[in-house]
Amino acid sequence: MRVIVAKNYEEMSRIAAMEIAKLLYVKPEAILGLATGSTPEGVYKELIELNKENRVDFSRVTTYNLDEYKGLTGDHAQSYRYFMNTRLFNHVNIDKNRSHVPNGVADDFEKECDEYDAAIENAGGIDLQLLGIGRNGHIGFNEPSDFLNLNTHVTDLTEDTIKVNSRFFDNIDEVPTQAITMGLGSIMKAKKIILLASGESKAEIIAKLVEEKISTRIPASMLQVHPNVLVIVDQEAAALLKNTSNDGIEYLK
Ligand code: F6R
């Protein structure tokens, strides 16, 4: 796990966007795994700019998003499909038929989950997976638990996640209590993973992710065994990292 401590949110976003741009330069037909939430918004803004300047081309890219709220249609303003359309897809030259977000209103969720995993597999697997992290250590909606799921599945959201995500809804009762999410196996199969974290509220979980033992109570800690993970954090999220003997940490001055 390589850790880069960026000066601020903008620099974190720029570094991540450049990593994606570099991949698309050498592999224009790359398969991207994408995340929603506040953290990657800056990356998407950077990518839109790079696309406008013809420095990154999405015309052959395929994308798979990590998750979607169960019960929300793609045109709901808080659905992750709507988020992706408005924050990235509507503004770049991507073929939206090749952009995939799990269907939150599927008739048969078991089938939807199986088909989502099969589609990723058939596409050749994810080349680069972008991740945020919940302050409870979740990635996608793989919440802390005694057991973790390998494959795409429907999951209950924890009270903490519902509370944290209620900031996007008019009131907490409107937050869906379940979501469909890629499992740990689907995420870990990605060839490269970039995890982003910004702000003070992520400092504790970033220290645990980088410095503590692997535990299903911190789902993101599984990333420690992945061979190609880049963690990019800003200085606030890095505040509790012990910058002593950990030579994998690179501080950008
Ligand atoms: C979103 C996702 C979540 C978020 C996490 C952090 O697709 O899978 O795991 O990455 O909840 O959210 P933010 O970035 O809003 O702090």
Side-chain angles (χ1 to χ4, degrees):
M1 190 178 273
R2 188 173 153 230
V3 183
I4 294 181
V5 181
K7 273 184 285 214
N8 51 34
Y9 178 79
E10 287 69 32
E11 191 177 62
M12 175 198 81
S13 304
R14 231 176 356 255
I15 298 168
M18 287 315 292
E19 287 291 326
I20 295 172
K22 270 194 294 186
L23 170 67
L24 297 187
Y25 187 70
V26 292
K27 190 173 182 185
E29 73 288 5
I31 315 290
L32 299 180
L34 298 177
T36 57
S38 307
T39 313
E41 286 200 69
V43 179
Y44 299 148
K45 279 194 187 131
E46 290 286 334
L47 288 173
I48 291 168
E49 284 312 307
L50 290 169
N51 185 243
K52 273 195 196 133
E53 294 162 9
N54 289 324
R55 291 166 69 197
V56 63
D57 175 21
F58 284 91
S59 63
R60 294 167 63 194
V61 168
T62 301
T63 64
Y64 288 92
N65 262 76
L66 282 166
D67 40 21
E68 179 60 284
Y69 286 119
K70 188 176 171 198
L72 299 194
T73 52
D75 56 0
H76 188 290
Q78 299 311 332
S79 75
Y80 288 167
R81 161 53 77 181
Y82 187 88
F83 177 103
M84 290 311 301
N85 285 349
T86 52
R87 306 309 202 280
L88 180 66
F89 300 150
N90 289 350
H91 311 286
V92 295
N93 67 332
I94 194 166
D95 174 357
K96 268 202 213 149
N97 293 320
R98 280 212 293 267
S99 73
H100 307 274
V101 180
N103 181 2
V105 291
D107 290 331
D108 180 342
F109 277 96
E110 216 177 293
K111 189 162 166 259
E112 170 68 18
C113 293
D114 290 349
E115 287 179 357
Y116 204 71
D117 287 330
I120 295 174
E121 197 89 12
N122 291 339
I126 290 171
D127 292 298
L128 191 159
Q129 176 68 56
L130 193 62
L131 294 176
I133 183 169
R135 61 182 195 185
N136 66 359
H138 73 211
I139 45 177
F141 278 129
N142 294 278
E143 299 280 34
S145 168
D146 286 344
F147 303 98
L148 295 172
N149 286 276
L150 271 181
N151 298 328
T152 300
H153 59 285
V154 172
T155 185
D156 293 333
L157 301 179
T158 60
E159 261 176 53
D160 187 56
T161 297
I162 293 172
K163 208 161 113 203
V164 171
N165 288 7
S166 67
R167 70 190 192 279
F168 299 112
F169 292 80
D170 288 338
N171 67 67
I172 195 159
D173 300 329
E174 285 180 20
V175 187
T177 54
Q178 288 191 308
I180 176 166
T181 180
M182 272 164 57
L184 257 298
S186 324
I187 295 170
M188 292 290 283
K189 279 183 212 154
K191 295 174 188 92
K192 179 177 174 120
I193 296 177
I194 297 182
L195 182 141
L196 304 175
S198 156
E200 215 183 334
S201 67
K202 300 289 171 71
E204 206 173 307
I205 194 62
I206 286 300
K208 284 186 182 162
L209 165 68
V210 176
E211 289 162 359
E212 279 193 14
K213 290 193 174 133
I214 296 168
S215 157
T216 61
R217 292 276 151 200
I218 307 172
S221 66
M222 298 289 158
L223 299 176
Q224 290 181 21
V225 296
H226 189 283
N228 192 359
V229 177
L230 175 60
V231 175
I232 313 173
V233 293
D234 63 9
Q235 284 182 353
E236 287 174 353
L240 298 177
L241 287 175
K242 299 186 205 76
N243 74 8
T244 48
S245 58
N246 199 333
D247 56 8
I249 302 181
E250 208 175 294
Y251 285 84
L252 300 183
K253 299 262 168 4

Tab-separated table of all heavy atoms in Angstrom, residues 142-194:
chain	number	residue	atom	x	y	z
A	142	ASN	N	-19.815	-2.079	1.870
A	142	ASN	CA	-19.401	-3.229	2.671
A	142	ASN	C	-19.156	-2.712	4.078
A	142	ASN	O	-18.098	-2.158	4.391
A	142	ASN	CB	-18.137	-3.862	2.073
A	142	ASN	CG	-18.420	-4.473	0.722
A	142	ASN	OD1	-18.908	-5.594	0.629
A	142	ASN	ND2	-18.156	-3.723	-0.346
A	143	GLU	N	-20.163	-2.879	4.904
A	143	GLU	CA	-20.154	-2.311	6.243
A	143	GLU	C	-19.398	-3.223	7.219
A	143	GLU	O	-19.326	-4.448	7.002
A	143	GLU	CB	-21.601	-2.143	6.735
A	143	GLU	CG	-22.460	-1.213	5.877
A	143	GLU	CD	-22.227	0.272	6.171
A	143	GLU	OE1	-21.091	0.663	6.490
A	143	GLU	OE2	-23.195	1.038	6.057
A	144	PRO	N	-18.853	-2.664	8.315
A	144	PRO	CA	-18.161	-3.489	9.313
A	144	PRO	C	-19.089	-4.593	9.831
A	144	PRO	O	-20.255	-4.334	10.103
A	144	PRO	CB	-17.870	-2.494	10.448
A	144	PRO	CG	-17.899	-1.153	9.815
A	144	PRO	CD	-18.876	-1.237	8.690
A	145	SER	N	-18.548	-5.798	9.927
A	145	SER	CA	-19.382	-6.948	10.301
A	145	SER	C	-18.456	-8.119	10.641
A	145	SER	O	-17.247	-8.049	10.404
A	145	SER	CB	-20.249	-7.296	9.081
A	145	SER	OG	-20.860	-8.534	9.248
A	146	ASP	N	-19.029	-9.205	11.170
A	146	ASP	CA	-18.205	-10.385	11.438
A	146	ASP	C	-17.801	-11.084	10.138
A	146	ASP	O	-16.793	-11.770	10.076
A	146	ASP	CB	-18.975	-11.387	12.297
A	146	ASP	CG	-19.075	-10.903	13.739
A	146	ASP	OD1	-18.317	-9.987	14.105
A	146	ASP	OD2	-19.914	-11.431	14.477
A	147	PHE	N	-18.661	-10.914	9.125
A	147	PHE	CA	-18.412	-11.577	7.848
A	147	PHE	C	-18.534	-10.547	6.724
A	147	PHE	O	-19.314	-9.615	6.839
A	147	PHE	CB	-19.439	-12.691	7.604
A	147	PHE	CG	-19.452	-13.706	8.700
A	147	PHE	CD1	-20.395	-13.628	9.713
A	147	PHE	CD2	-18.504	-14.703	8.741
A	147	PHE	CE1	-20.396	-14.547	10.748
A	147	PHE	CE2	-18.505	-15.636	9.772
A	147	PHE	CZ	-19.450	-15.556	10.776
A	148	LEU	N	-17.770	-10.762	5.677
A	148	LEU	CA	-17.882	-9.867	4.521
A	148	LEU	C	-18.267	-10.687	3.296
A	148	LEU	O	-17.942	-11.871	3.215
A	148	LEU	CB	-16.550	-9.146	4.280
A	148	LEU	CG	-16.113	-8.187	5.403
A	148	LEU	CD1	-14.695	-7.688	5.143
A	148	LEU	CD2	-17.069	-7.015	5.541
A	149	ASN	N	-18.949	-10.032	2.371
A	149	ASN	CA	-19.383	-10.717	1.145
A	149	ASN	C	-18.367	-10.557	0.026
A	149	ASN	O	-17.806	-9.484	-0.154
A	149	ASN	CB	-20.704	-10.120	0.664
A	149	ASN	CG	-21.860	-10.548	1.516
A	149	ASN	OD1	-22.427	-11.614	1.322
A	149	ASN	ND2	-22.189	-9.731	2.495
A	150	LEU	N	-18.186	-11.635	-0.724
A	150	LEU	CA	-17.284	-11.578	-1.869
A	150	LEU	C	-17.915	-10.819	-3.034
A	150	LEU	O	-17.286	-9.993	-3.675
A	150	LEU	CB	-16.999	-12.991	-2.365
A	150	LEU	CG	-15.839	-13.758	-1.787
A	150	LEU	CD1	-15.757	-15.110	-2.452
A	150	LEU	CD2	-14.528	-12.992	-1.996
A	151	ASN	N	-19.176	-11.128	-3.299
A	151	ASN	CA	-19.786	-10.680	-4.556
A	151	ASN	C	-20.759	-9.532	-4.354
A	151	ASN	O	-21.067	-9.151	-3.222
A	151	ASN	CB	-20.507	-11.862	-5.214
A	151	ASN	CG	-19.526	-12.967	-5.557
A	151	ASN	OD1	-18.367	-12.692	-5.863
A	151	ASN	ND2	-19.977	-14.194	-5.487
A	152	THR	N	-21.259	-9.012	-5.456
A	152	THR	CA	-22.274	-7.963	-5.403
A	152	THR	C	-23.501	-8.499	-4.660
A	152	THR	O	-23.925	-9.625	-4.888
A	152	THR	CB	-22.634	-7.525	-6.842
A	152	THR	OG1	-21.446	-7.022	-7.458
A	152	THR	CG2	-23.696	-6.438	-6.837
A	153	HIS	N	-24.029	-7.683	-3.767
A	153	HIS	CA	-25.118	-8.156	-2.901
A	153	HIS	C	-25.936	-6.976	-2.381
A	153	HIS	O	-25.505	-5.828	-2.465
A	153	HIS	CB	-24.544	-8.935	-1.715
A	153	HIS	CG	-23.600	-8.124	-0.867
A	153	HIS	ND1	-22.308	-7.816	-1.249
A	153	HIS	CD2	-23.782	-7.498	0.315
A	153	HIS	CE1	-21.726	-7.072	-0.333
A	153	HIS	NE2	-22.596	-6.852	0.627
A	154	VAL	N	-27.088	-7.321	-1.821
A	154	VAL	CA	-27.902	-6.294	-1.158
A	154	VAL	C	-27.511	-6.291	0.308
A	154	VAL	O	-27.322	-7.345	0.915
A	154	VAL	CB	-29.408	-6.608	-1.312
A	154	VAL	CG1	-30.248	-5.655	-0.471
A	154	VAL	CG2	-29.809	-6.498	-2.786
A	155	THR	N	-27.350	-5.102	0.873
A	155	THR	CA	-26.894	-5.018	2.258
A	155	THR	C	-27.708	-3.993	3.044
A	155	THR	O	-28.233	-3.036	2.474
A	155	THR	CB	-25.389	-4.640	2.292
A	155	THR	OG1	-24.936	-4.671	3.640
A	155	THR	CG2	-25.136	-3.253	1.732
A	156	ASP	N	-27.788	-4.213	4.348
A	156	ASP	CA	-28.389	-3.203	5.233
A	156	ASP	C	-27.331	-2.149	5.516
A	156	ASP	O	-26.165	-2.481	5.747
A	156	ASP	CB	-28.784	-3.847	6.573
A	156	ASP	CG	-29.913	-4.845	6.406
A	156	ASP	OD1	-30.712	-4.686	5.454
A	156	ASP	OD2	-29.990	-5.788	7.225
A	157	LEU	N	-27.721	-0.893	5.514
A	157	LEU	CA	-26.789	0.169	5.867
A	157	LEU	C	-26.773	0.324	7.392
A	157	LEU	O	-27.809	0.168	8.042
A	157	LEU	CB	-27.211	1.483	5.200
A	157	LEU	CG	-27.273	1.415	3.673
A	157	LEU	CD1	-27.734	2.747	3.091
A	157	LEU	CD2	-25.917	1.034	3.086
A	158	THR	N	-25.611	0.610	7.943
A	158	THR	CA	-25.533	0.792	9.398
A	158	THR	C	-26.156	2.142	9.766
A	158	THR	O	-26.268	3.045	8.921
A	158	THR	CB	-24.070	0.792	9.896
A	158	THR	OG1	-23.385	1.866	9.251
A	158	THR	CG2	-23.370	-0.511	9.585
A	159	GLU	N	-26.514	2.258	11.037
A	159	GLU	CA	-27.097	3.529	11.519
A	159	GLU	C	-26.151	4.687	11.251
A	159	GLU	O	-26.569	5.780	10.879
A	159	GLU	CB	-27.353	3.427	13.016
A	159	GLU	CG	-28.788	3.099	13.344
A	159	GLU	CD	-28.988	2.900	14.830
A	159	GLU	OE1	-28.604	3.805	15.593
A	159	GLU	OE2	-29.510	1.832	15.199
A	160	ASP	N	-24.852	4.427	11.449
A	160	ASP	CA	-23.858	5.481	11.251
A	160	ASP	C	-23.864	5.967	9.797
A	160	ASP	O	-23.865	7.160	9.522
A	160	ASP	CB	-22.468	4.957	11.637
A	160	ASP	CG	-21.430	6.069	11.615
A	160	ASP	OD1	-21.644	7.074	12.311
A	160	ASP	OD2	-20.437	5.946	10.869
A	161	THR	N	-23.879	5.003	8.866
A	161	THR	CA	-23.881	5.364	7.441
A	161	THR	C	-25.148	6.142	7.084
A	161	THR	O	-25.091	7.149	6.358
A	161	THR	CB	-23.744	4.087	6.576
A	161	THR	OG1	-22.481	3.484	6.870
A	161	THR	CG2	-23.838	4.392	5.094
A	162	ILE	N	-26.289	5.684	7.597
A	162	ILE	CA	-27.556	6.381	7.312
A	162	ILE	C	-27.477	7.816	7.837
A	162	ILE	O	-27.856	8.765	7.145
A	162	ILE	CB	-28.748	5.603	7.923
A	162	ILE	CG1	-28.910	4.264	7.182
A	162	ILE	CG2	-30.033	6.422	7.874
A	162	ILE	CD1	-29.908	3.310	7.792
A	163	LYS	N	-26.923	7.958	9.040
A	163	LYS	CA	-26.808	9.296	9.646
A	163	LYS	C	-25.870	10.188	8.813
A	163	LYS	O	-26.202	11.316	8.472
A	163	LYS	CB	-26.273	9.152	11.083
A	163	LYS	CG	-26.725	10.273	11.984
A	163	LYS	CD	-26.586	9.879	13.437
A	163	LYS	CE	-25.508	10.736	14.071
A	163	LYS	NZ	-24.924	10.142	15.249
A	164	VAL	N	-24.708	9.633	8.473
A	164	VAL	CA	-23.737	10.419	7.708
A	164	VAL	C	-24.319	10.820	6.346
A	164	VAL	O	-24.185	11.965	5.903
A	164	VAL	CB	-22.414	9.615	7.524
A	164	VAL	CG1	-21.487	10.307	6.549
A	164	VAL	CG2	-21.712	9.421	8.854
A	165	ASN	N	-25.011	9.884	5.683
A	165	ASN	CA	-25.524	10.162	4.338
A	165	ASN	C	-26.807	10.995	4.342
A	165	ASN	O	-27.236	11.485	3.289
A	165	ASN	CB	-25.744	8.851	3.576
A	165	ASN	CG	-24.417	8.227	3.175
A	165	ASN	OD1	-23.362	8.713	3.579
A	165	ASN	ND2	-24.452	7.184	2.385
A	166	SER	N	-27.393	11.184	5.519
A	166	SER	CA	-28.635	11.969	5.592
A	166	SER	C	-28.385	13.431	5.216
A	166	SER	O	-29.319	14.163	4.933
A	166	SER	CB	-29.276	11.863	6.976
A	166	SER	OG	-28.456	12.497	7.927
A	167	ARG	N	-27.105	13.836	5.188
A	167	ARG	CA	-26.796	15.224	4.805
A	167	ARG	C	-27.265	15.549	3.381
A	167	ARG	O	-27.467	16.694	3.038
A	167	ARG	CB	-25.309	15.533	4.987
A	167	ARG	CG	-24.361	14.837	4.017
A	167	ARG	CD	-22.916	15.057	4.481
A	167	ARG	NE	-21.904	14.689	3.498
A	167	ARG	CZ	-21.476	13.445	3.286
A	167	ARG	NH1	-22.008	12.419	3.955
A	167	ARG	NH2	-20.521	13.206	2.384
A	168	PHE	N	-27.426	14.509	2.563
A	168	PHE	CA	-27.854	14.739	1.179
A	168	PHE	C	-29.380	14.725	1.015
A	168	PHE	O	-29.894	15.038	-0.040
A	168	PHE	CB	-27.261	13.659	0.263
A	168	PHE	CG	-25.749	13.642	0.256
A	168	PHE	CD1	-25.044	12.574	0.798
A	168	PHE	CD2	-25.037	14.704	-0.291
A	168	PHE	CE1	-23.651	12.557	0.789
A	168	PHE	CE2	-23.645	14.689	-0.301
A	168	PHE	CZ	-22.956	13.619	0.246
A	169	PHE	N	-30.089	14.289	2.055
A	169	PHE	CA	-31.546	14.146	1.956
A	169	PHE	C	-32.238	15.219	2.803
A	169	PHE	O	-31.608	15.813	3.680
A	169	PHE	CB	-31.967	12.755	2.462
A	169	PHE	CG	-31.517	11.622	1.582
A	169	PHE	CD1	-30.198	11.150	1.650
A	169	PHE	CD2	-32.389	11.020	0.681
A	169	PHE	CE1	-29.771	10.104	0.841
A	169	PHE	CE2	-31.973	9.977	-0.125
A	169	PHE	CZ	-30.662	9.516	-0.051
A	170	ASP	N	-33.537	15.440	2.550
A	170	ASP	CA	-34.271	16.446	3.322
A	170	ASP	C	-34.359	16.051	4.793
A	170	ASP	O	-34.256	16.886	5.673
A	170	ASP	CB	-35.683	16.645	2.761
A	170	ASP	CG	-35.613	17.372	1.432
A	170	ASP	OD1	-34.599	18.053	1.184
A	170	ASP	OD2	-36.569	17.233	0.633
A	171	ASN	N	-34.586	14.768	5.049
A	171	ASN	CA	-34.529	14.299	6.440
A	171	ASN	C	-34.111	12.837	6.472
A	171	ASN	O	-34.162	12.137	5.455
A	171	ASN	CB	-35.857	14.563	7.175
A	171	ASN	CG	-36.973	13.715	6.608
A	171	ASN	OD1	-36.954	12.484	6.743
A	171	ASN	ND2	-37.926	14.366	5.955
A	172	ILE	N	-33.718	12.414	7.675
A	172	ILE	CA	-33.076	11.089	7.809
A	172	ILE	C	-34.015	9.944	7.408
A	172	ILE	O	-33.561	8.896	6.936
A	172	ILE	CB	-32.516	10.915	9.241
A	172	ILE	CG1	-31.526	9.738	9.304
A	172	ILE	CG2	-33.612	10.771	10.280
A	172	ILE	CD1	-30.579	9.780	10.468
A	173	ASP	N	-35.338	10.159	7.545
A	173	ASP	CA	-36.280	9.096	7.192
A	173	ASP	C	-36.308	8.807	5.691
A	173	ASP	O	-36.800	7.772	5.258
A	173	ASP	CB	-37.695	9.462	7.648
A	173	ASP	CG	-37.745	9.657	9.151
A	173	ASP	OD1	-36.958	8.984	9.842
A	173	ASP	OD2	-38.532	10.503	9.617
A	174	GLU	N	-35.797	9.744	4.919
A	174	GLU	CA	-35.788	9.528	3.464
A	174	GLU	C	-34.587	8.709	2.992
A	174	GLU	O	-34.526	8.284	1.845
A	174	GLU	CB	-35.769	10.880	2.740
A	174	GLU	CG	-37.110	11.573	2.774
A	174	GLU	CD	-37.089	12.900	2.052
A	174	GLU	OE1	-36.192	13.124	1.218
A	174	GLU	OE2	-37.966	13.713	2.352
A	175	VAL	N	-33.597	8.519	3.871
A	175	VAL	CA	-32.394	7.779	3.456
A	175	VAL	C	-32.751	6.297	3.343
A	175	VAL	O	-33.266	5.713	4.307
A	175	VAL	CB	-31.246	7.928	4.482
A	175	VAL	CG1	-29.962	7.303	3.959
A	175	VAL	CG2	-31.029	9.389	4.843
A	176	PRO	N	-32.494	5.680	2.184
A	176	PRO	CA	-32.769	4.240	2.075
A	176	PRO	C	-31.978	3.468	3.133
A	176	PRO	O	-30.878	3.882	3.527
A	176	PRO	CB	-32.288	3.904	0.665
A	176	PRO	CG	-32.347	5.191	-0.082
A	176	PRO	CD	-32.006	6.245	0.927
A	177	THR	N	-32.539	2.377	3.599
A	177	THR	CA	-31.861	1.609	4.652
A	177	THR	C	-31.070	0.443	4.065
A	177	THR	O	-30.360	-0.248	4.775
A	177	THR	CB	-32.883	1.059	5.666
A	177	THR	OG1	-33.867	0.317	4.933
A	177	THR	CG2	-33.567	2.192	6.421
A	178	GLN	N	-31.218	0.250	2.752
A	178	GLN	CA	-30.478	-0.834	2.099
A	178	GLN	C	-29.831	-0.334	0.808
A	178	GLN	O	-30.276	0.680	0.233
A	178	GLN	CB	-31.425	-1.973	1.735
A	178	GLN	CG	-31.905	-2.773	2.933
A	178	GLN	CD	-32.602	-4.040	2.471
A	178	GLN	OE1	-33.502	-3.973	1.635
A	178	GLN	NE2	-32.169	-5.185	2.981
A	179	ALA	N	-28.815	-1.036	0.385
A	179	ALA	CA	-28.152	-0.685	-0.875
A	179	ALA	C	-27.695	-1.953	-1.563
A	179	ALA	O	-27.611	-3.022	-0.950
A	179	ALA	CB	-26.951	0.211	-0.596
A	180	ILE	N	-27.409	-1.813	-2.840
A	180	ILE	CA	-26.809	-2.917	-3.601
A	180	ILE	C	-25.352	-2.502	-3.813
A	180	ILE	O	-25.074	-1.366	-4.190
A	180	ILE	CB	-27.605	-3.148	-4.904
A	180	ILE	CG1	-26.990	-4.209	-5.795
A	180	ILE	CG2	-27.816	-1.910	-5.697
A	180	ILE	CD1	-27.972	-4.669	-6.895
A	181	THR	N	-24.434	-3.363	-3.473
A	181	THR	CA	-23.014	-2.977	-3.524
A	181	THR	C	-22.139	-4.093	-4.067
A	181	THR	O	-22.422	-5.280	-3.863
A	181	THR	CB	-22.500	-2.585	-2.109
A	181	THR	OG1	-21.116	-2.210	-2.192
A	181	THR	CG2	-22.627	-3.713	-1.093
A	182	MET	N	-21.089	-3.700	-4.739
A	182	MET	CA	-20.068	-4.677	-5.104
A	182	MET	C	-19.488	-5.233	-3.805
A	182	MET	O	-19.392	-4.516	-2.807
A	182	MET	CB	-18.938	-3.986	-5.908
A	182	MET	CG	-19.190	-3.945	-7.400
A	182	MET	SD	-18.144	-2.762	-8.292
A	182	MET	CE	-16.519	-3.303	-7.881
A	183	GLY	N	-19.108	-6.505	-3.797
A	183	GLY	CA	-18.529	-7.102	-2.596
A	183	GLY	C	-17.021	-6.902	-2.543
A	183	GLY	O	-16.418	-6.326	-3.452
A	184	LEU	N	-16.425	-7.379	-1.467
A	184	LEU	CA	-14.980	-7.236	-1.297
A	184	LEU	C	-14.205	-7.957	-2.390
A	184	LEU	O	-13.173	-7.483	-2.845
A	184	LEU	CB	-14.573	-7.792	0.074
A	184	LEU	CG	-14.276	-6.767	1.152
A	184	LEU	CD1	-13.100	-5.890	0.738
A	184	LEU	CD2	-15.452	-5.865	1.441
A	185	GLY	N	-14.758	-9.106	-2.825
A	185	GLY	CA	-14.084	-9.885	-3.874
A	185	GLY	C	-14.036	-9.102	-5.166
A	185	GLY	O	-12.986	-9.005	-5.812
A	186	SER	N	-15.194	-8.501	-5.523
A	186	SER	CA	-15.245	-7.746	-6.779
A	186	SER	C	-14.251	-6.578	-6.720
A	186	SER	O	-13.568	-6.274	-7.705
A	186	SER	CB	-16.654	-7.196	-7.030
A	186	SER	OG	-17.644	-8.086	-6.591
A	187	ILE	N	-14.155	-5.930	-5.575
A	187	ILE	CA	-13.240	-4.783	-5.440
A	187	ILE	C	-11.779	-5.258	-5.489
A	187	ILE	O	-10.945	-4.695	-6.199
A	187	ILE	CB	-13.523	-4.024	-4.121
A	187	ILE	CG1	-14.926	-3.391	-4.165
A	187	ILE	CG2	-12.449	-2.964	-3.852
A	187	ILE	CD1	-15.409	-2.812	-2.842
A	188	MET	N	-11.510	-6.340	-4.754
A	188	MET	CA	-10.121	-6.810	-4.656
A	188	MET	C	-9.591	-7.376	-5.970
A	188	MET	O	-8.386	-7.515	-6.150
A	188	MET	CB	-10.011	-7.878	-3.560
A	188	MET	CG	-10.232	-7.334	-2.173
A	188	MET	SD	-8.900	-6.280	-1.588
A	188	MET	CE	-7.681	-7.512	-1.177
A	189	LYS	N	-10.516	-7.724	-6.894
A	189	LYS	CA	-10.060	-8.252	-8.187
A	189	LYS	C	-9.576	-7.136	-9.115
A	189	LYS	O	-8.989	-7.411	-10.161
A	189	LYS	CB	-11.192	-9.028	-8.864
A	189	LYS	CG	-11.330	-10.444	-8.341
A	189	LYS	CD	-12.431	-11.171	-9.116
A	189	LYS	CE	-13.134	-12.169	-8.220
A	189	LYS	NZ	-14.503	-12.448	-8.644
A	190	ALA	N	-9.838	-5.874	-8.751
A	190	ALA	CA	-9.379	-4.765	-9.601
A	190	ALA	C	-7.854	-4.791	-9.700
A	190	ALA	O	-7.164	-5.106	-8.728
A	190	ALA	CB	-9.850	-3.437	-9.016
A	191	LYS	N	-7.342	-4.441	-10.878
A	191	LYS	CA	-5.891	-4.527	-11.072
A	191	LYS	C	-5.172	-3.448	-10.272
A	191	LYS	O	-4.072	-3.648	-9.770
A	191	LYS	CB	-5.560	-4.419	-12.562
A	191	LYS	CG	-6.118	-5.621	-13.320
A	191	LYS	CD	-5.955	-5.521	-14.834
A	191	LYS	CE	-6.709	-6.642	-15.522
A	191	LYS	NZ	-8.092	-6.313	-15.904
A	192	LYS	N	-5.796	-2.277	-10.181
A	192	LYS	CA	-5.215	-1.199	-9.376
A	192	LYS	C	-6.346	-0.527	-8.608
A	192	LYS	O	-7.461	-0.404	-9.126
A	192	LYS	CB	-4.512	-0.188	-10.296
A	192	LYS	CG	-3.906	0.987	-9.558
A	192	LYS	CD	-3.158	1.927	-10.502
A	192	LYS	CE	-2.706	3.150	-9.729
A	192	LYS	NZ	-1.301	3.372	-9.712
A	193	ILE	N	-6.061	-0.104	-7.390
A	193	ILE	CA	-7.075	0.555	-6.562
A	193	ILE	C	-6.521	1.895	-6.075
A	193	ILE	O	-5.373	1.970	-5.622
A	193	ILE	CB	-7.445	-0.333	-5.347
A	193	ILE	CG1	-8.096	-1.636	-5.835
A	193	ILE	CG2	-8.373	0.416	-4.381
A	193	ILE	CD1	-8.434	-2.635	-4.751
A	194	ILE	N	-7.325	2.928	-6.206
A	194	ILE	CA	-6.951	4.229	-5.627
A	194	ILE	C	-8.006	4.576	-4.589
A	194	ILE	O	-9.192	4.682	-4.913
A	194	ILE	CB	-6.891	5.335	-6.702
A	194	ILE	CG1	-5.795	5.011	-7.718
A	194	ILE	CG2	-6.633	6.696	-6.057
A	194	ILE	CD1	-5.621	6.069	-8.799
